[in-house]
Amino acid sequence: MKVIEALILGIDAIDAGGQPVAWPDCLPGDRREVLRRRRGLKPKLDSFWQEYSHLDAAGRQAVRHAISRQTELPAVFSDALPCLKLSQLPESIRQSADSLGDYLFGQLSEILEGDRCLRDTHYQHIHNSRIRTCPFCGLNYFRPYGAPRNALDHLMAISHYPFAAADLRNLPPACHECNSTYKGAADVLSDDAGGRRVCSDPYAGPTYILSLQGSVWGAGNIVRGRRMPQWLVTFLGGPHLQANTWDAVYKVKSRYLSTLDADFHSWIESFATWFVREHGRDHTPNFMVQQLPRYINNVIQGKFEDRAFLKAEAFRVVEAACASPEIGNDVGEWLYGFVEYAV
C-alpha cells in the first residue's frame, strides 16, 4: 500500500499543475530503499501518471474514486457504497492500472522480509493463527506451512480492482476449489446485473453457522440405490445479504448438498462402527438412538472426524427423525441395521 500512497501523491501533483516528484524521492521514505530496487516499478508509475495527465476532469475524478474506494478495506466489503472497477475507468488508463496491479501483486512473491517473501510470511501468520480449513467452504484442509502453500485469493478480483491487488486484507487463503473452480474472477462487489452487493470481511466476518433444520427424511435424491433426506441448507447468524453473496460466489449450498448426498451413508457406517466399539452389539435400537447426542457433541464436534460442522448437522437430522412420532421407530430400526452389520 506504500506504492498506492506514492501513486496518489503523483496525481495530486499533476492536479496541482505540476509533475510527480522525481524517482526515487516519490517513494515513501520508510520503504524507499526496498522499492527503489524494483526495476519494473518506475515505468509502471510513469505510465500511469502519463495517462492520468491526459484525462479530463471527469476522468481524473473517476480514477481518484476508484483508487480511494478499492483501497478502503475492509469497509468496502460491506458498506454498499459505489466502487468503480477497472472497466468503468477511462479506457486510456485501464492498461496502465491493470499493469500496475499485476506488478504489485507479483512483488509479494519477490520482496523479502528476512528469508521469506511477503506472501510466505502472510501465509505463516495465517497458519500460526490455527486456521486449518478453508474459511469459505470449510470442506478442504490447508497444506501446512513449509509445504507448497494454498492460494491467496483476491476476494476483490485483481482483474476488476487492481488498486487492491497487493493489499493483504484482500488476500485471504482459499482452497483450490473455492479459488479456481468456483470463484475465479467473479466480482464479489457486483452481481451479474451490475448491482452493488456486500460480502463478509474474510478476516472479521460476519460468519455463519450451517443449519439443516427442516430437512425432510426420505424425500431426497436416490444415491447408489438409497434414498437420501431432502436436505435444506440455511445459514444462521449475520446479515443475509453477505450470506447470499458468499453462496453466489462460492456455490457453498450446492457443494454442501453434493457432499451430504455423497458421504451421508459412509458417515452412518462410521457411527455404527463407533457404537459397536464403544458399547458392543447387545443393545436395543432405543439405546443406540440415545447415544446420538454424545456422538455429535463429543466425537464429531470434538474434531475426531473431519468436516465436523456438516456431519454434526447431518446427524441432528437423524436424531430429529428418530424422535418423530410418525417415523421414529422405522428410522431407529434402519439405523440399527448398520450396527448389526458394522465391521
Side-chain angles (χ1 to χ4, degrees):
M1 298 309 293
K2 293 294 184 179
V3 175
I4 298 299
E5 292 178 21
L7 186 71
I8 294 172
L9 289 174
I11 67 175
D12 284 345
I14 293 170
D15 285 346
Q19 294 292 324
V21 175
W23 182 270
D25 293 336
C26 62
L27 300 172
D30 58 339
R31 300 295 287 175
R32 186 171 298 158
E33 281 306 305
V34 173
L35 294 174
R36 70 188 295 271
R37 295 195 294 270
R38 317 321 297 176
R39 296 182 179 180
L41 180 55
K42 181 180 184 298
K44 299 290 189 302
L45 288 173
D46 286 342
S47 173
F48 186 91
W49 286 327
Q50 181 69 19
E51 295 298 339
Y52 181 84
S53 69
H54 296 316
L55 297 177
D56 60 18
R60 292 185 182 188
Q61 184 178 14
V63 171
R64 281 186 170 277
H65 176 275
I67 295 173
S68 173
R69 290 295 291 137
Q70 290 183 26
T71 58
E72 198 171 354
L73 279 68
V76 70
F77 293 138
S78 59
D79 63 16
L81 299 175
C83 181
L84 294 184
K85 52 188 176 181
L86 186 64
S87 62
Q88 296 171 303
L89 297 184
E91 187 173 0
S92 61
I93 205 169
R94 293 176 196 170
Q95 180 58 47
S96 294
D98 185 52
S99 179
L100 179 62
D102 281 339
Y103 180 81
L104 293 179
F105 177 58
Q107 292 310 295
L108 296 180
S109 297
E110 299 293 333
I111 296 177
L112 300 180
E113 285 191 345
D115 60 348
R116 300 185 181 93
C117 71
L118 294 176
R119 289 185 75 182
D120 283 343
T121 299
H122 183 50
Y123 192 78
Q124 183 182 22
H125 287 321
I126 291 166
H127 188 267
N128 289 346
S129 68
R130 300 185 181 278
I131 298 173
R132 296 292 186 266
T133 57
C134 176
F136 296 105
C137 68
L139 297 174
N140 299 310
Y141 282 104
F142 287 143
R143 291 184 289 272
Y145 181 74
R149 54 173 155 69
N150 288 79
L152 296 176
D153 175 36
H154 281 102
L155 187 59
M156 295 164 56
I158 189 173
S159 58
H160 297 305
Y161 305 102
F163 302 113
D167 193 323
L168 297 180
R169 287 299 300 262
N170 189 39
L171 284 167
C175 70
H176 178 77
E177 278 188 90
C178 282
N179 184 41
S180 300
T181 305
Y182 291 97
K183 179 178 181 290
D187 185 353
V188 298
L189 299 187
S190 297
D191 59 27
D192 292 340
R196 180 71 159 92
R197 59 186 176 189
V198 295
C199 61
S200 299
D201 177 357
Y203 293 102
T207 57
Y208 298 87
I209 297 172
L210 170 78
S211 172
L212 297 178
Q213 185 177 0
S215 297
V216 181
W217 189 265
N221 298 322
I222 296 176
V223 179
R224 294 188 294 275
R226 292 170 170 170
R227 179 72 69 176
M228 296 291 117
Q230 185 180 58
W231 306 108
L232 177 63
V233 177
T234 56
F235 302 127
L236 306 179
H240 290 298
L241 289 176
Q242 278 92 327
N244 292 341
T245 300
W246 173 39
D247 184 43
V249 172
Y250 294 99
K251 307 296 187 290
V252 285
K253 284 188 178 180
S254 62
R255 292 164 68 187
Y256 291 164
L257 292 173
S258 296
T259 300
L260 286 162
D261 275 356
D263 293 347
F264 181 61
H265 279 102
S266 67
W267 293 345
I268 296 295
E269 290 166 356
S270 295
F271 165 76
T273 299
W274 168 84
F275 179 83
V276 171
R277 186 174 62 244
E278 291 288 306
H279 302 287
R281 300 177 188 274
D282 190 21
H283 295 283
T284 65
N286 185 58
F287 176 81
M288 175 206 62
V289 169
Q290 292 173 359
Q291 308 313 307
L292 284 171
R294 179 182 169 221
Y295 185 72
I296 293 169
N297 296 322
N298 294 347
V299 179
I300 300 177
Q301 295 290 44
K303 307 298 184 183
F304 291 79
E305 301 272 0
D306 59 353
R307 300 183 175 182
F309 71 101
L310 200 56
K311 288 185 178 183
E313 283 304 304
F315 272 94
R316 290 190 179 101
V317 172
V318 176
E319 185 180 19
C322 288
S324 167
E326 292 81 15
I327 63 171
N329 289 337
D330 290 340
V331 176
E333 292 289 347
W334 170 85
L335 185 59
Y336 196 72
F338 285 86
V339 170
E340 291 178 327
Y341 290 99
V343 177

